[in-house]
Amino acid sequence: MAAEVRGHSIAYQHAGKGSPLVLLHGFLCDSRAWRRQLADLSDEFTVVAWDAPGAGRSFDPPGPFTITDWAHSLAAFLNVIGVDRGILLGLSWGGVLAQEFYRLFPARVIRLVLADTYAGWKGSLGDSVAQARLVRCVRESSLPADDFVARWVPREFFTAASRELEDEMSAVVSTFHPAGFRLMAKALADTDTTKLLPSIAVPTLLLWGDGDQRSPLSVADQFRLGIPNARLEVIPNAGHVSNMEQPERFNAEVRKFCQASGAH
């Protein structure tokens, strides 16, 4: 499916009926990374997973394009598809986007689920690490797809991926947008949401893989301590993309949180 938003095409997947659950993927991914959530959670929610501008089958935004620009794009996209308020679930870069969307449009967010994310690379890892990561992303973005995939999959995303899971992620990453990837990496490197965390006033669930190397559990603790009444659930045997590596546990925690929070 695709929505025409401000003269550009934004692709998305949609399943189910119920309270809107909006899924925001990480960089190098697109809505395909949410296959298991679209299948499992659509019995109870209207699950919407977009391809962010610069990813999947959506258009490449012009540079410069900041996390604030993506948040405004998300708001316009949700307007077009008729979602006024919803539960936001953001993983990695998508979690940074969810935070920025909340900052700009708090009345549109019923609940937040932040998974394996950051307060921006700058805000969680420090400026020197953020800049080093950005340099790597810019340098490797020009590699041929096969070489790029070999450097990123599976060790950047999983703890012990099956061959099937590795192949699935490789298929997604191999179609990454170099320009969109560079813009997303720059947004991560430039962003620091630490001052926002104490002002998040909606129920918030933190989901983290216990083996996440890109956003370690120390970052999860930053969020747990920073967001009032946030609850942290650590998923065993999962890395950075915990929704794909341990989908049953991931989905169960999302469902339980939304039911307990009275999100319906």
Side-chain angles (χ1 to χ4, degrees), residues 139-156:
R139 180 180 67 245
E140 296 185 0
S141 67
S142 61
L143 290 172
D146 288 348
D147 293 342
F148 186 89
V149 167
R151 295 187 184 216
W152 286 85
V153 180
R155 60 183 177 272
E156 297 286 344

Side-chain angles (χ1 to χ4, degrees), residues 93-116:
W93 176 85
V96 181
L97 174 58
Q99 294 168 67
E100 179 66 2
F101 186 90
Y102 177 83
R103 184 183 73 83
L104 294 171
F105 311 105
R108 301 190 68 171
V109 180
I110 300 171
R111 309 281 184 263
L112 270 177
V113 182
L114 302 175
D116 299 285

